[in-house]
Amino acid sequence: MKKRGIKKVVLMILSGLAVLLILTLVVLFASSGIMKQPLYLQPWERTYSEQFDDPRIRLAAHGLLAANGHNMQPWKIRLDTKDSRVFYLYADSDRLAKQVDPYARQTMISQGTFLEYVQVAGGELGYKTVLELFPDGNYDEQNLIEDMSIKPVAKVTLMKTSPQHSPLYSFIFSPDTNRGPYENTPFTEEQLSQLASINNEDDLTLKIYQDKENMEKLGNYAIKGAIIESSIHRINEESAAIFRANEYQKNKYRYGFSLEGQGTSGVMKHIMQGLITILPSINSEKTTADIFVKSTQTAINHTPAYSMIITKGNTRIEQVKSGMLYSRLVLNAHRLGFVMQPPSQVLEEYPEMKEQYSNIHRGYTNAGSTIQMFFRLGKPTQAFPQTMRRDVMDLMDTEY
Ligand SMILES: Cc1cc2nc3c(=O)[nH]c(=O)nc-3n(C[C@H](O)[C@H](O)[C@H](O)COP(=O)(O)O)c2cc1C
């Protein structure tokens, strides 16, 4: 009789706990927005661009899937009203990350990543894309912000040809960046030469390192960069301002950072999003900084190779071309089964990073040259989800 009573109490406690757990999960999932359609992922659908009749918009819909600094998607498109084959790409000066990218260098690289995706998609859809960079001349650097709205980064002319299937095309729809651990297996000579041959620009240098000494040195730059950057309040504020905690925010903004970028998906993503939404304090500046440094260290410990794109100078055209090469590498790397991630901190031009910036440049370039991209390269141990993208019609500049 007594035993049965205890059993009953235990059962009651257990069912109470189960109800509590279910209620907690319901609240977490509702706060995360689990029932919301992820509109911010629609541009990744292979049929997304087909809803547009204008081939210029179709191609721009592919361009916006490219990697870009801080996921700001700093692109504006003006369709030529007189020539239906032509559109202009402008850097969107409302989408700068001024603290981490004070000279808008990464913003210009992100113009190049976009243009390369446009070119690859163009071939597939039956358009040769003729690019003219800065057709109205270079920016006046003293009036950079105003000039961004006046001077296009590129004039893109579509010349109708027969569609040519590109083995790179389908990789446009894969997530661009993988911040997870990679297998530590070194690249074979053949793989290295395959990757090196992707650079067909004389004025760009592509370097790949996998020897012990350089791996150690470059890993040190990556971790030092992460430690320095995560200790700077104004930079943390800039990143926090574009962090989207749940599905409601991701659908509203469709740019910036989210948990997908940290490799979190599925049920775990919704539990985390729910927690951060209900208790924003768990995502405090200190916690975020600690997680960033720790995940950078894990990434470094699981990186078989680093790579760099180096330019002779640091012109806007060189920056754009570096972005084009970066996208070309992303697509080719994915085709070969590899992934990439740029731990860019050490290349950023704010005062606190000056010493590390100078050291890495002194160690790896000739005087006057610039490392435009520094990135990890390897075989992934974990798939990463796609991240937010805006609707292509949001890129259209109607003021023209
Ligand atoms: C110029 C440039 C700089 C970047 N810097 C970093 C970086 O420092 N750390 C990082 O993890 N990803 C970096 N990225 C990757 C972007 O954060 C990423 O492309 C963006 O968030 C969109 O995500 P996705 O590439 O997975 O689509 C950079 C990309 C570009 C083009």
Side-chain angles (χ1 to χ4, degrees):
M1 188 69 191
K2 219 174 169 187
K3 252 190 185 167
R4 213 183 286 161
I6 292 171
K7 225 178 180 179
K8 210 170 163 189
V9 172
V10 170
L11 267 175
M12 273 171 67
I13 292 174
L14 283 179
S15 37
L17 284 174
V19 170
L20 198 66
L21 180 68
I22 290 168
L23 278 178
T24 309
L25 285 175
V26 167
V27 172
L28 285 178
F29 288 157
S31 309
S32 166
I34 196 167
M35 299 303 278
K36 284 266 147 203
Q37 271 258 58
L39 304 177
Y40 58 88
L41 292 181
Q42 281 176 352
W44 292 100
E45 288 166 16
R46 283 186 75 128
T47 52
Y48 170 75
S49 67
E50 290 170 11
Q51 65 188 290
F52 306 104
D53 292 331
D54 191 324
R56 298 171 295 181
I57 303 180
R58 279 197 181 185
L59 293 194
H62 289 82
L64 63 79
L65 299 179
N68 64 94
H70 264 48
N71 200 17
M72 293 302 284
Q73 305 169 38
W75 307 301
K76 261 194 325 203
I77 301 289
R78 288 183 190 161
L79 302 178
D80 194 316
T81 47
K82 293 189 196 86
D83 187 343
S84 64
R85 301 169 310 157
V86 174
F87 76 86
Y88 295 90
L89 173 69
Y90 288 77
D92 186 343
S93 59
D94 290 335
R95 295 179 169 275
L96 306 177
K98 289 183 180 159
Q99 300 302 335
V100 275
D101 187 25
Y103 301 125
R105 187 184 56 81
Q106 295 189 9
T107 298
M108 300 317 293
I109 293 175
S110 305
Q111 307 304 308
T113 57
F114 181 101
L115 288 171
E116 186 64 24
Y117 273 31
V118 165
Q119 284 212 312
V120 172
E124 182 84 14
L125 272 56
Y127 298 94
K128 180 175 159 47
T129 43
V130 179
L131 297 186
E132 195 183 338
L133 297 183
F134 293 96
D136 293 349
N138 291 325
Y139 292 145
D140 169 2
E141 295 292 332
Q142 306 311 313
N143 285 310
L144 185 61
I145 303 290
E146 291 103 86
D147 257 14
M148 280 182 176
S149 340
I150 302 167
K151 291 185 179 165
V153 171
K155 176 182 179 185
V156 185
T157 308
L158 313 190
M159 317 286 271
K160 192 91 192 88
T161 57
S162 49
Q164 291 254 311
H165 173 63
S166 162
L168 299 181
Y169 179 74
S170 56
F171 296 98
I172 287 182
F173 303 93
S174 305
D176 303 289
T177 312
N178 187 313
R179 300 183 176 86
Y182 303 162
E183 286 179 13
N184 278 325
T185 330
F187 286 82
T188 63
E189 284 305 318
E190 194 194 334
Q191 287 167 333
L192 287 178
S193 70
Q194 269 176 320
L195 290 167
S197 69
I198 293 160
N199 178 23
N200 49 19
E201 295 278 347
D202 287 341
D203 43 354
L204 301 179
T205 304
L206 175 67
K207 293 248 169 97
I208 302 175
Y209 301 95
Q210 61 172 354
D211 62 288
K212 194 167 178 288
E213 192 187 334
N214 281 307
M215 290 304 292
E216 231 172 85
K217 277 190 190 163
L218 294 170
N220 265 329
Y221 281 120
I223 194 67
K224 274 188 193 152
I227 292 169
I228 293 170
E229 181 156 305
S230 61
S231 70
I232 304 172
H233 179 60
R234 63 176 195 286
I235 289 184
N236 293 337
E237 276 192 324
E238 184 176 68
S239 300
I242 55 163
F243 180 75
R244 317 301 177 200
N246 52 49
E247 300 301 294
Y248 308 99
Q249 291 180 8
K250 286 191 280 181
N251 272 344
K252 182 171 173 195
Y253 295 104
R254 299 177 62 154
Y255 72 94
F257 294 131
S258 61
L259 286 180
E260 281 89 356
Q262 294 166 25
T264 317
S265 56
V267 172
M268 189 42 98
K269 176 183 87 172
H270 288 293
I271 293 177
M272 298 287 296
Q273 288 189 161
L275 277 171
I276 295 170
T277 304
I278 296 168
L279 298 167
S281 57
I282 59 171
N283 213 21
S284 71
E285 182 170 352
K286 164 122 183 50
T287 313
T288 312
D290 289 349
I291 292 174
F292 177 50
V293 172
K294 212 169 147 208
S295 63
T296 304
Q297 189 59 62
T298 307
I300 291 165
N301 295 345
H302 297 88
T303 297
Y306 290 102
S307 183
M308 287 180 191
I309 296 172
I310 301 172
T311 51
K312 291 194 183 97
N314 195 13
T315 65
R316 295 298 182 187
I317 287 188
E318 287 175 320
Q319 293 165 3
V320 175
K321 283 186 170 179
S322 300
M324 294 182 74
L325 174 56
Y326 184 73
S327 265
R328 209 148 61 235
L329 281 164
V330 167
L331 296 176
N332 277 283
H334 288 173
R335 186 161 78 97
L336 296 168
F338 302 115
V339 289
M340 294 163 38
Q341 182 215 353
S344 304
Q345 288 65 41
V346 66
L347 305 183
E348 289 167 352
E349 300 97 336
Y350 46 84
E352 296 87 339
M353 200 59 79
K354 201 165 185 225
E355 191 183 338
Q356 297 306 321
Y357 179 99
S358 306
N359 290 346
I360 193 170
H361 276 82
R362 207 173 306 122
Y364 287 90
T365 64
N366 301 322
S369 300
T370 308
I371 307 171
Q372 300 290 355
M373 291 298 286
F374 163 49
F375 46 97
R376 306 168 57 221
L377 193 57
K379 235 185 184 61
T381 60
Q382 169 196 348
F384 260 53
Q386 291 149 332
T387 65
M388 289 172 284
R389 287 301 188 278
R390 288 189 294 151
D391 190 279
V392 66
M393 294 315 286
D394 282 352
L395 271 57
M396 298 298 144
D397 193 10
T398 46
E399 277 170 35
Y400 195 54

